[in-house]
Amino acid sequence: MKKELGYGVALAGALAGAGALAVALARKKKREEIYHEAELKAMNELDEMMNEGSEDILDCDTCCCAEECAEACADTEPQEEVDAKEAQETSEPPAES
């Protein structure tokens, strides 16, 4: 009788452990699903913000700093001209004294 009771307790413990493991795995899976959905939502919101932001950048007519941008662009030399000047300077041989 004692031996049968011991087997019963051991079996009940094993079943309780298996049940607890199943619950833990189900909770973990649920957390991962929620995290994944939140990540997708955040990525979609970021894409929307980036698309909205790029439209504003290209619209210089409504920009409050359009005049400043035009002045800054006029003051800087185009990169092609800078590259051409550097190429000329490096291709000229140094003058011997």
Side-chain angles (χ1 to χ4, degrees), residues 5-27:
L5 184 60
Y7 288 138
V9 170
L11 181 61
L15 290 175
L21 180 63
V23 168
L25 291 175
R27 286 183 181 173

Side-chain angles (χ1 to χ4, degrees), residues 9 14 19-21 32 35 40 48-49 56 60 65-66 68 71 81 84-85 87 91 94:
V9 170
L21 180 63
E32 288 176 355
Y35 175 79
L40 290 176
E48 289 174 6
M49 287 175 35
D56 294 340
C60 291
C65 62
E68 295 173 9
E71 291 174 7
E81 292 178 12
K85 285 181 182 178
S91 63

Side-chain angles (χ1 to χ4, degrees), residues 55-67:
E55 292 171 1
D56 294 340
I57 292 172
L58 298 176
D59 190 15
C60 291
D61 296 335
T62 60
C63 181
C64 62
C65 62
E67 294 174 359

Side-chain angles (χ1 to χ4, degrees), residues 20-60:
L21 180 63
V23 168
L25 291 175
R27 286 183 181 173
K28 180 180 178 189
K29 184 176 180 180
K30 183 68 176 174
R31 281 193 307 266
E32 288 176 355
E33 288 174 1
I34 292 171
Y35 175 79
H36 183 67
E37 289 174 9
E39 186 178 28
L40 290 176
K41 183 179 177 183
M43 288 172 43
N44 288 338
E45 289 177 1
L46 179 63
D47 287 341
E48 289 174 6
M49 287 175 35
M50 301 262 308
N51 289 337
E52 290 173 2
S54 65
E55 292 171 1
D56 294 340
I57 292 172
L58 298 176
D59 190 15
C60 291

